Amino acid sequence: MRLTCPSCGSRGLEEFTYRGDASVRRPAADASEQAWVDYVYLRDNPCGRHQELWYHGAGCRSWLVVTRDTRTHEIFDVRNARDVALTERQTDAGQGEIA
Amino acid sequence: MSAAPAQIFRVRSGNGVDTSQTLHFSFDGKTYTGHPGDTLASALLAHGVRLFGRSFKYHRPRGLLSAGPEEPNALVELRDGARREPNTRVTVVELFDGLNASSQNRWPSLSFDALGMNGLFTSVLGAGFYYKTFMWPASFWEKLYEPMIRRAAGLGRAADEADPDLYEKSTAFCDVLVVGSGPAGLAAALAAGRSGARVILCEQDALPGGRLRDESATLDGKAGWQWAEQVRQELAGMPEVRVMTRTCVFGAYDGGTYGALERVADHVALPKDGQPRQRLWRIVARECVMATGAIERPVVFPNNDRPGVMLAGAVRTYLNRFGVSPGRKAVLYICNDDGLRTALDLRRAGVAIAAIVDSRPAGVGGGAQVASQCGAAFFPGGAIADCYGHSGVKAVLVRDASGKARSIACDLVAMSGGWSPNVALATHLGNRPVWHDDLCAFLPSTLPPGMVAAGAAAGVFDTAEALHDGAVAGQRAAVACGFAATLPVLPEAEPTRYAIRALFHALKGVPSAKKAKAFVDFQNDVTAKDVALAAREGFVSVEHLKRYTTLGMATDQGKTSNINALALLAEITERTIPQTGTTLIRPPVQPVAIEALAGPHRGTHFKPTRLPPTHQWAEEQGAVFTANGLWMRAQWFPRSGETDWLETVSREVRTVREAVGFCDVTTLGKIDIQGPDAAEFLNRIYVNAWLKLAVGRVRYGLMLREDGFAYDDGTTARLGENHYVMTTTTANAGGVMAHLEFCHQWLWPELDVQFISVTDEWAQIAVAGPKSRAVLEKIVDASFDLSNEAFPYMAAAELTVCGGVAARLFRLSFSGELAYELAVPARYGDALARLLMKVGEPFGIAPYGTEALGVLRIEKGHPAGPELNGQTTAHDLGMGRLLSTKKDFIGSRMAQRPALTDPARPTLIGIQPVNPEDMLVAGSHLLPQGASATATSDQGWLSSVAWSPSVGSWIGLGFLTNGPARKGEIVSVHNLLAGTIIAARIVDPVFVDPKGERLHG
């Protein structure tokens, strides 16, 4: 398998390590224990498109959000995790203002 | 050694053999001759050798079935000594001068094998015999059954010594990968190559051409192989095209990645100096043309494994490519017109054709015409009902369409059950092939992205059509990569006809079939009866059949047996082949040696050694080293007169406690952290408070995992307003770095902070002991005030040493003594150690190793790796009070779970034997005195122990239920391995200077 790192281009799988589901979000410190148990321990195991975190540890050390088909290993999208997280914050902040 | 017998079966010159040169080789101690271009198979066959090995289970005599990599029978041990290679298929071994091979799985000799009588115990060794026969008593398995089976069954012996040869790994990128150089592959490479696309053409054989070398058919009126040579030369002249022979593409992987094995020096006696024996390729291709051809199927009939029963296409290979006839008088058993070519080729070579047995009814196919051309008896609608000749075919029993049987003498049976497209690569990623009744074959349906099948691999068996199919595939692949490709002009091929009618077995209505074995899987000795038995016992799924009978699970992975087995199972269970299923083929297509997969990554190239900057100096000192992860660290520094390690370590400990010692601590992870939000970031990473750490100060920090358990600890110094340097444990240095990156990039991207690992940039040496300041005063430049007031405990500074060398000084202590850690640029580490020895001499300085380091920290009650074992919490480590309640940090929420702070959890304690002579052993269990040695009485364990010269006793750190509340209590320490129980007292984990006065001295 190969991943196209936004910084480094197409690279072999051996440069990356897998972390897991990129759709879970760290709860607030005062969130319920159930929310924290879900975040720390529970993961879906979807068949098909999956957003997941990968680390380009043997390259630029970027954490990446990879959209992958778990059946075919087709890679649809690779983005810098930091960009994804920052965009989400801006969106959240924007929604906050509207509310 | 006996004299070389003549090559009496070399009946003509083959297109792949250079008969002007003669090579000598030996098989089972006997010397033979052959020629360059021969395989071990063809060279032995030329001498009339028919017996090549004994079968796996029944030790039946076996000869050659095929002429290619699909060979299930003729496996030998090739070479000897450290280069001995078991289970080598003689059909792919290229002959070289001095080659040495021996048969395997026979005792005492190939022609007389004592275990051949296994055939008499067929009822015991049938399908599932592993599961049935050796079930009870269970204790017999290891002692009796398994050794017995291993001796009787099995194949060759692996070499006893390490492989002395070199192996390489390489990566290549291309636009179009063409796998196979038969008519389709060559046409594809030509079409793509002429467009300017980067093309890699891989051919597993030494010569390009595929079946063009095996057939007598012509292209443009010339021999087919001549066109193959001509194309190879044209391709060789193209700068963007690479032709790789002896290279098998063994696997297709995700993202257009292919694995290939290049046998660089397998065809010579020894690799040249520095030359690899094999090279493992990872080929990344945008498009791939799979032109892998097809594999001929045997027919299942009684005693179809006699030496001399061969695939019809293999007979043509031996004749046309190698000039060797596998027999003098042949019977053909076919179900398609392709097999008839064998009769014509044999006839042309002067071999008599006794009979053509054609399973097709009269009037279908060209059998009658060919039979009359060859002067052979013709049996349309016939079958071979049995085969005679213990160690080689002598006759066959032919049953004609009316059911009448007669015996016909022959020494060669050429059979063709039709051709199975070699679709393996197309299925490696889970794409199931589809059965085509008209061709009696599985063909690829959906293919992995970027892959296309062409030629026989796609079911296109006619040469003219295969050439065209390949050219179109090559053209399309090049166009897909953005090249303007056109179709090349292709040579004219003779028309062929296939006209296959399904033929998988000849088992019905045969009088002798009940007793005789009809083999489906030759290599694993699976018979038609085994398949029937498995079906009768309910193993009707093809996957279950495989595992129950071991069919298709040998080193040939069922290349010649899977489809016949599937067809048999379908018939027995009254289903169609598609209803019965198919098994997906997994990589590798051909066996790949583990050495090739390892490549150069052996020994220290697999697990490199990291050396701290003082390593060479420590070697000169006679240090004893220990591995700490990848690092080699000095364990202790023996002096002359010291008789054992404990004496040395105790002396080093006393030196630190009483004078001054030093120890290289470079291996601890060092992470440079910079940015306006660095303090806030540390505050979220560590459990304790970090916002108020002043510049020039160091703080101990504990990290948790998000699940609330302790992860790592260390100190972090604030060197400037926005500049920190963190230390991690040696083992977790890489992991903590990734963790910090994760937290920053994913959890808190808004924080303005950056990190870089500086572990290798700084040599760091701990200088510890009451006289450490006095030593450092000799090194640190005079402008720096080292006094306790100016540079107190937990101070940090950037300064200069030795007259201007940049350095960092931290007043840290792992030993509990007045101590410093001095960091200098790594290139000065060696000089620093030598300097410390010199300026420290008047103070009695001595280096100490990791063992003394461990004793010092145990005496001081500092947790380390054995305590931070991934199962302990801050509370367990006695650091519950560090957990800030005023902030969110990694693990903060989950660490609050009641079960993680329960006082009854085993918690850090010190322990000291009541009798000071009693030795403590880490891993021992702590139980109340008098309690029975059961799990329910277990209350904790010892994690670290040492002989403490300061206490004058063994001491230990451990974890005990309600530990801190039980100081003074005497518990039993159970060492279950040694079977000892000793009494020990629970004490404070800090054994030395509990008030910490020495730290501040």
Side-chain angles (χ1 to χ4, degrees), chain A:
Chain A
M1 200 165 102
R2 297 180 69 78
L3 289 175
T4 302
C5 171
S7 314
C8 311
S10 173
R11 297 298 182 101
L13 185 64
E14 67 283 0
E15 293 187 9
F16 300 87
T17 44
Y18 177 79
R19 181 172 174 116
D21 193 348
S23 69
V24 292
R25 293 292 175 272
R26 190 171 187 267
D30 56 0
S32 68
E33 186 166 289
Q34 191 54 53
W36 274 95
V37 168
D38 284 355
Y39 170 66
V40 171
Y41 294 112
L42 295 183
R43 293 291 181 274
D44 290 334
N45 183 18
C47 180
R49 267 186 199 237
H50 189 221
Q51 283 211 331
E52 48 202 27
L53 286 159
W54 290 77
Y55 180 50
H56 198 189
C60 61
R61 302 205 322 267
S62 290
W63 281 92
L64 305 169
V65 176
V66 175
T67 310
R68 179 179 68 105
D69 191 311
T70 56
R71 296 164 303 182
T72 62
H73 303 313
E74 187 178 353
I75 309 292
F76 301 102
D77 186 39
V78 183
R79 284 180 291 162
N80 275 318
R82 187 156 191 265
D83 296 340
V84 174
L86 280 172
T87 309
E88 269 180 23
R89 280 177 199 231
Q90 282 158 10
T91 313
D92 291 350
Q95 283 166 350
E97 279 159 29
I98 294 161

Side-chain angles (χ1 to χ4, degrees), chain B residues 657-690:
Chain B
R657 295 267 178 246
E658 291 158 18
V660 57
F662 70 95
C663 177
D664 191 325
V665 292
T666 302
T667 63
L668 294 176
K670 302 187 237 8
I671 301 174
D672 201 86
I673 303 173
Q674 298 195 36
D677 293 326
E680 174 60 28
F681 181 78
L682 290 170
N683 209 41
R684 298 183 192 185
I685 288 291
Y686 283 127
V687 304
N688 44 334
W690 283 83

Side-chain angles (χ1 to χ4, degrees), chain B residues 79 94-96 246 263-269:
Chain B
R79 299 184 161 95
E94 291 175 57
L95 201 66
F96 54 83
R246 298 190 177 99
R263 293 174 293 114
V264 181
D266 273 358
H267 60 293
V268 291

